[in-house]
């Protein structure tokens, strides 16, 4: 979930678990029977104490790793929210200017889709990425 406000995006620094230490958007695993949208809202609430209002699905990401791990990620964006971004055991909140996103501290795939997603309203995207641990080996992003 990426929340926009005053030309800034709400990012997190992961404090534990997969991607620990990296900067990313809040999110996580689906609970049984949960929709992608409900998961994105719940994870943002759990990680930052913020509730995204009227989020829109903007894209999908497929990740594979050389160790066999595979992940499908639905990407949502919201321009309205309730609450104050608060540090939790999971994440430290970072309101970041859209034009100063710290890609060097993020997963390598983010540089290929995040800025465009945040600065356009009509585009939807699908990305496929293959990693060896933290190193991206291949990438493809298609926009519609």
């Amino acid at each position: 979930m990426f929340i926009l406000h005053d030309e800034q995006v709400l990012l997190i620094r992961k404090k534990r678990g997969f991607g620990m230490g990296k900067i990313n958007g809040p999110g996580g695993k689906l609970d049984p029977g949960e929709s992608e949208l409900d998961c994105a809202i719940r994870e943002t609430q759990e990680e930052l104490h913020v509730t995204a209002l009227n989020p829109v699905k903007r894209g999908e990401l497929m990740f594979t790793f050389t160790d066999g791990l595979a992940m499908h990620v639905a990407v949502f964006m919201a321009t309205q929210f309730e609450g104050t971004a608060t540090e939790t055991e999971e994440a430290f909140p970072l309101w970041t200017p859209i034009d100063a996103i710290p890609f060097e501290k993020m997963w390598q795939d983010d540089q290929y889709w995040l800025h465009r997603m945040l600065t356009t309203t009509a585009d939807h995207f699908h990305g496929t990425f293959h990693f060896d641990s933290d190193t991206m080996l291949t990438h493809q992003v298609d926009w519609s």
Side-chain angles (χ1 to χ4, degrees), residues 28-101:
K29 295 179 184 174
L30 286 168
D31 284 342
E34 186 177 43
S35 72
E36 293 173 337
L37 176 59
D38 290 340
C39 175
I41 292 170
R42 175 185 55 77
E43 287 283 347
T44 304
Q45 290 169 331
E46 290 176 1
E47 292 181 359
L48 295 173
H49 300 155
V50 170
T51 302
L53 303 175
N54 304 311
V56 175
K57 186 173 181 179
R58 295 296 310 278
E60 296 184 53
L61 305 171
M62 295 296 301
F63 296 97
T64 57
F65 292 79
T66 56
D67 67 2
L69 177 66
M71 289 186 288
H72 168 259
V73 177
V75 181
F76 292 88
M77 190 170 82
T79 57
Q80 298 174 325
F81 64 97
E82 292 177 341
T84 301
T86 305
E87 182 177 2
T88 65
E89 292 181 11
E90 292 274 339
F92 181 84
L94 301 165
W95 281 107
T96 305
I98 292 171
D99 290 329
I101 295 172

Side-chain angles (χ1 to χ4, degrees), residues 130-144:
H130 186 61
F131 279 83
D132 182 2
S133 187
D134 283 354
T135 302
M136 186 171 60
L137 303 176
T138 64
H139 69 278
Q140 179 175 342
V141 180
D142 297 310
W143 295 86
S144 59

